[in-house]
Amino acid sequence: MTIKNFGKIILIVGLVGISISILPEILGIGKPGFKASQLLIIQLGVLFSVTALGFLASPGRESQLGDSLREKMDETINLPVYVWVLTGFIFTFICFFVLPVFFNQDAKIVYFFRYIPDRVPIGVDFRVVLDSVRSWMNGKEVPAILYPPLENFFFAPFLLLAYPHNYYLISILTLISFFILTFVIPRNVISQTEHPIIPLIFAATIISYGFQFELERGQFHTIALTLSILAIYLFHYHDHYKLLAYLLLSLSIQLKIFPVIFIFLLIKDWKDWKNNIKRVLGFGLFNFALLFLLGPNYFIAFVKDTLHNMNTPETWIGNHSIKAFTTNLAKNGFGIFPDSILQVIRQNTSSIELILFSIYILCLGLILFQAYRQNKPGLNTALLLVCTLGCLMLPAINHDYTLGYLAGPVAISLGSIQITGQRWKKVISIFLVFIATCSYSIMLYPFKYRPAVLGSSFPMLLVLLVSFTLLAFVASSSSQPKAPIDSEA
């Protein structure tokens, strides 16, 4: 069918609709006056008629409709990645903000209220850290609450300020780190075409539930992750700063331990086994030695305390680790399973936990295999995101105040995707980008105002993990260095 013939059909349908609605009034059939249904049909008829005239006036009206539709489809799937990212954000904004706030059964605005489990006075986690540092500085060899030894040295200068001024300072440093992590570094890594992704994710995340939670607690996860990502950026793009990169990553590890997983990103040439092993081994030994900075007694107590926390984590809904998720799943099934299935889940909690761990290891292994096979220069953005997700999913204690630091790696990874290849590959890539974006943006909203099944952030993290693993094989990635590298490490 040609576009011209299709236009004629639409025109006939529109004119028929208008005629059917007007004729009863002209012939005096039925009750006098136009009804709402008649006016609706007239409006649709006018819309159809005007659209038809556009088809009839089209320069390619003799072209086949199928060919024209395929051309439009190709134009659509060739749109930049940021279009699909924006689509995902808009979709979740409607579902998780507009619908519950405005379109609810109470017929009134339902404000988001007390969605952060706050503590008074503010900054409780930061104050606990300073209390531990103060205890150590007063001569207690092993404080009641233990942190990596170097953390005591890092936070000691904050004792020069009284509360709440030291809390204000850590909050300002967190905000600066967030800007570097989510805006500055992505801008220097991803292609200029996809730069609109950066302000979108930055603006959405800086006011998100997770980042507000981090500021409320006085946490410093964003600071630690920024040090890690900055170190990785310097390592790959500014070789003359590689010693600074090692130092920054080491400081990040000594602050939070979990950034040790980023050691996989200290590789430029995946085929250079000798230098890679030397670098990783030397780096690992250096960081292990730092754990003895306050002596063997402190080290032993720190390891015991860490193992205890891993075995007895807080399993409230705001802990999105694998262990917390499986524990909560066994408790109530998030309200979606009947008792019969819940009993089976409770009997197999350890197996479910092992399966979820295995899924992560499988995805990490696939990304590492892809990195080794392709051996591209520059930052491997898929590996960056998978390692970041490991920081969020693997440690037993991982509260929602860690969600904010996901923004930078997500922006970098989404902005590095190149949707190319055959049409089916493009469609699958767009779908995966949309699903990944929705999963990320759902976590921006308070767990208190999500459906019970999505109360825990873990399912969204899992979808992010699987989506980006599949994207690594379906879509290509622009991981070429954007800055000249002076020499190989």
Side-chain angles (χ1 to χ4, degrees), residues 337-382:
F337 297 111
D339 289 339
S340 57
I341 296 180
L342 205 53
Q343 281 297 115
V344 176
I345 291 173
R346 288 168 180 164
Q347 293 169 5
N348 296 277
T349 303
S350 298
S351 299
I352 295 171
E353 187 176 335
L354 180 61
I355 290 170
L356 294 175
F357 270 109
S358 300
I359 291 173
Y360 178 81
I361 297 301
L362 174 63
C363 290
L364 177 61
L366 289 171
I367 294 295
L368 289 172
F369 167 76
Q370 183 80 327
Y372 179 81
R373 186 171 66 88
Q374 293 180 340
N375 200 24
K376 291 182 178 179
L379 175 62
N380 187 310
T381 56

Side-chain angles (χ1 to χ4, degrees), residues 366-414:
L366 289 171
I367 294 295
L368 289 172
F369 167 76
Q370 183 80 327
Y372 179 81
R373 186 171 66 88
Q374 293 180 340
N375 200 24
K376 291 182 178 179
L379 175 62
N380 187 310
T381 56
L383 181 58
L384 172 70
L385 183 63
V386 169
C387 288
T388 305
L389 289 169
C391 297
L392 288 161
M393 298 166 69
L394 300 181
I397 301 177
N398 240 319
H399 304 308
D400 280 351
Y401 51 60
T402 61
L403 293 174
Y405 70 60
L406 193 59
V410 166
I412 291 171
S413 299
L414 286 173

Side-chain angles (χ1 to χ4, degrees), residues 210-449:
F211 191 63
Q212 291 178 42
F213 195 3
E214 180 176 11
L215 291 174
E216 187 278 334
R217 281 293 191 269
Q219 269 290 343
F220 44 94
H221 285 272
T222 296
I223 294 174
L225 193 80
T226 301
L227 293 172
S228 295
I229 307 303
L230 182 58
I232 293 163
Y233 169 75
L234 293 174
F235 177 80
H236 284 283
Y237 299 133
H238 299 281
D239 192 61
H240 49 290
Y241 286 127
K242 68 180 180 181
L243 292 180
L244 177 60
Y246 297 148
L247 179 62
L248 291 175
L249 184 55
S250 296
L251 178 58
S252 176
I253 292 171
Q254 297 304 315
L255 286 177
K256 285 297 181 184
I257 298 297
F258 65 77
V260 70
I261 196 171
F262 290 113
I263 200 167
F264 288 115
L265 288 149
L266 293 182
I267 295 175
K268 290 181 181 177
D269 182 357
W270 289 85
K271 304 298 174 73
D272 188 4
W273 287 95
K274 182 180 178 182
N275 284 325
N276 290 337
I277 293 173
K278 284 170 57 179
R279 183 187 304 111
V280 170
L281 188 60
F283 183 80
L285 289 174
F286 173 70
N287 277 274
F288 183 71
L290 287 176
L291 295 176
F292 289 89
L293 198 61
L294 298 181
N297 291 338
Y298 190 101
F299 170 78
I300 293 171
F302 170 71
V303 171
K304 287 182 178 178
D305 185 65
T306 302
L307 292 175
H308 173 73
N309 291 333
M310 288 173 61
N311 292 322
T312 56
E314 292 182 58
T315 54
W316 69 299
I317 196 69
N319 185 351
H320 49 254
S321 67
I322 291 176
K323 189 172 186 64
F325 174 77
T326 51
T327 303
N328 287 322
L329 182 66
K331 278 182 182 177
N332 54 24
F334 301 104
I336 60 174
F337 297 111
D339 289 339
S340 57
I341 296 180
L342 205 53
Q343 281 297 115
V344 176
I345 291 173
R346 288 168 180 164
Q347 293 169 5
N348 296 277
T349 303
S350 298
S351 299
I352 295 171
E353 187 176 335
L354 180 61
I355 290 170
L356 294 175
F357 270 109
S358 300
I359 291 173
Y360 178 81
I361 297 301
L362 174 63
C363 290
L364 177 61
L366 289 171
I367 294 295
L368 289 172
F369 167 76
Q370 183 80 327
Y372 179 81
R373 186 171 66 88
Q374 293 180 340
N375 200 24
K376 291 182 178 179
L379 175 62
N380 187 310
T381 56
L383 181 58
L384 172 70
L385 183 63
V386 169
C387 288
T388 305
L389 289 169
C391 297
L392 288 161
M393 298 166 69
L394 300 181
I397 301 177
N398 240 319
H399 304 308
D400 280 351
Y401 51 60
T402 61
L403 293 174
Y405 70 60
L406 193 59
V410 166
I412 291 171
S413 299
L414 286 173
S416 301
I417 293 171
Q418 294 180 332
I419 298 178
T420 57
Q422 297 173 307
R423 186 183 289 120
W424 68 269
K425 276 192 172 185
K426 291 180 180 179
V427 172
I428 292 175
S429 298
I430 290 170
F431 173 75
L432 291 172
V433 168
F434 175 77
I435 292 298
T437 303
C438 288
S439 300
Y440 174 74
S441 52
I442 288 171
M443 293 185 285
L444 302 177
Y445 299 93
F447 73 87
K448 183 178 176 182
Y449 292 95

